Amino acid sequence: MSSSDEPRRVHFQSPEYLVDRLDAIADLFDKDRTDLLVEAIREYIEETADSDTFQELVATKYYDDQLEFETVKQLVGAETAQRLRLLKADLDDEPLDLAAPEDVDIYGGDAVTVDTTADER
């Protein structure tokens, strides 16, 4: 279990009728109230994170420098966060810092040198 998976105590207030319903459901399924709450929170987070509206909000706030990359990673996952990072770099006209392939001749031997100093416009 990683440190992020360690249980963390949280305290919050809820309307009494919700707690009563939660306890009744827990009894019905022979489960603990905490297990049901954790399951409900997990499902809500997964459903929210998968929504287009949420993803667009995260992207907009990241592009506007209102969210740090690490936060974006927590919200939408590493793969999507990396894609947003690359798009943001492109939008900001920052070089992507990608090395050219060394084992492939991308010009196929047909490279032509152009003299731009002799441009007579």
Side-chain angles (χ1 to χ4, degrees):
M1 185 179 278
S2 73
S3 63
S4 65
D5 290 341
E6 291 293 325
R8 183 176 184 181
R9 182 174 297 278
V10 248
H11 176 79
F12 63 93
Q13 293 185 7
S14 172
E16 191 173 340
Y17 78 93
L18 285 178
V19 175
D20 291 342
R21 287 185 73 188
L22 181 64
D23 287 342
I25 293 170
D27 286 343
L28 182 67
F29 288 108
D30 196 29
K31 288 190 171 187
D32 186 74
R33 177 195 303 163
T34 300
D35 293 339
L36 289 181
L37 284 171
V38 169
E39 183 179 331
I41 292 169
R42 184 179 296 118
E43 286 178 15
Y44 173 80
I45 289 172
E46 287 174 5
E47 182 179 310
T48 300
D50 287 342
S51 80
D52 291 339
T53 303
F54 180 79
Q55 301 246 343
E56 289 170 13
L57 179 62
V58 170
T60 299
K61 289 194 176 279
Y62 179 59
Y63 295 152
D64 291 341
D65 295 321
Q66 296 176 18
L67 287 176
E68 296 293 325
F69 179 73
E70 288 303 316
T71 303
V72 172
K73 227 163 58 168
Q74 286 179 329
L75 294 170
V76 295
E79 184 178 334
T80 300
Q82 186 62 26
R83 188 171 38 250
L84 292 175
R85 175 189 267 176
L86 292 172
L87 289 171
K88 183 176 194 280
D90 192 34
L91 290 172
D92 292 341
D93 287 326
E94 296 175 5
L96 297 178
D97 196 26
L98 299 174
E102 295 178 11
D103 59 342
V104 176
D105 181 8
I106 59 173
Y107 297 106
D110 298 331
V112 177
T113 304
V114 176
D115 183 11
T116 59
T117 59
D119 193 7
E120 297 179 23
R121 287 188 201 195

